[in-house]
């Protein structure tokens, strides 16, 4: 995994000790980066970013997919064939249409993260509402299945939230690769 740049705490050597001050500074940096790169993006641009990134993960020649599939079971937690099927199943669902449907289903209107919007009931009563995600999300993930962690990252992106993810020991491999793919995009 030395081929990846060290943007994240998960990129530190496995024997590195995390101090409270390191975590505090990481969270401050996440919030700063959120303001600079994420907070002003439209829902449409984030959906495009996520869908395009998912499309890259479906490409057999995508370097991070190859890293995931070539990794030893002790690193990835899964044999290559199982990993390939899981990646395909997860990333095939992250389409623009599915992401639009998800936002609309959860918020009642697809643009509520961008501006006040009214659904038909709201229009009759002269109301509109807007949704805001938290400035910083902290995810604590289980180690046995990576999909919930990846999906939490997707939801955090759509909410325009900075994200700090605490993975189970030895289980940051796929979330780390996914984070790198989002950073690259």
């Amino acid at each position: 995994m030395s081929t990846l740049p060290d943007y994240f705490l998960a990129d530190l050597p496995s024997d590195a000790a995390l101090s409270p001050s390191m975590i505090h500074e990481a969270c401050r940096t996440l919030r700063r980066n959120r303001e600079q790169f994420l907070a002003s993006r439209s829902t449409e641009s984030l959906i495009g970013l996520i869908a395009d990134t998912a499309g890259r993960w479906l490409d057999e020649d995508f370097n991070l997919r190859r890293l995931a599939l070539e990794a030893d079971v002790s690193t990835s937690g899964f044999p290559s064939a199982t990993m390939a099927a899981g990646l395909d199943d997860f990333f095939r669902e992250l389409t623009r249409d599915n992401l639009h449907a998800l936002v609309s289903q959860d918020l009642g209107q697809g643009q509520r993260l961008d501006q006040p919007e009214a659904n038909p009931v709201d229009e009759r009563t002269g109301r509109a509402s807007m949704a805001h995600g938290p400035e910083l999300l902290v995810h604590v993930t289980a180690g046995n299945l990576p999909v919930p962690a990846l999906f939490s990252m997707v939801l955090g992106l759509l909410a325009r939230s900075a994200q700090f993810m605490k993975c189970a020991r030895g289980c940051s491999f796929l979330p780390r690769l996914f984070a790198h793919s989002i950073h690259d995009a």
Side-chain angles (χ1 to χ4, degrees):
M1 290 292 289
S2 62
T3 61
L4 296 175
D6 58 352
Y7 301 132
F8 310 112
L9 291 177
D11 294 326
L12 292 172
S14 60
D15 60 346
L18 293 178
S19 68
S21 63
M22 287 174 71
I23 294 171
H24 178 75
E25 185 54 37
C27 289
R28 287 173 43 102
T29 300
L30 288 168
R31 289 169 128 157
R32 243 186 341 264
N33 289 345
R34 174 195 173 270
E35 285 304 312
Q36 187 173 1
F37 301 110
L38 190 59
S40 64
R41 293 192 66 162
S42 69
T43 301
E44 186 62 38
S45 76
L46 291 170
I47 285 173
L49 174 111
I50 294 164
D52 291 348
T53 301
R56 290 172 54 208
W57 274 94
L58 293 170
D59 179 354
E60 291 181 13
D61 293 326
F62 181 51
N63 65 325
L64 296 177
R65 179 188 174 92
R66 281 196 326 267
L67 276 174
L69 296 179
E70 293 169 2
D72 186 78
V73 171
S74 65
T75 300
S76 71
F78 300 96
S80 182
T82 302
M83 177 70 76
L87 292 174
D88 289 344
D89 289 345
F90 177 72
F91 288 110
R92 199 176 296 124
E93 294 299 317
L94 295 182
T95 65
R96 282 176 171 74
D97 287 345
N98 286 351
L99 292 166
H100 279 291
L102 173 69
V103 172
S104 293
Q105 175 186 326
D106 283 357
L107 301 177
Q109 287 286 42
Q111 298 303 310
R112 279 203 170 137
L113 288 164
D114 298 314
Q115 62 195 23
E117 287 284 323
N119 63 26
V121 173
D122 295 332
E123 287 174 358
R124 287 195 300 270
T125 60
R127 292 183 279 176
S129 61
M130 185 172 179
H132 295 278
E135 189 176 320
L136 176 67
L137 284 172
V138 176
H139 307 280
V140 179
T141 67
N144 52 350
L145 297 174
V147 167
L150 302 181
F151 194 63
S152 290
M153 292 168 73
V154 167
L155 295 175
L157 280 170
L158 290 171
R160 296 174 186 80
S161 298
Q163 301 179 65
F164 185 95
M165 181 166 283
K166 165 55 178 102
C167 296
R169 183 176 303 280
C171 297
S172 66
F173 180 67
L174 279 176
R176 180 179 171 212
L177 292 180
F178 186 51
H180 276 284
S181 69
I182 293 292
H183 182 275
D184 289 348

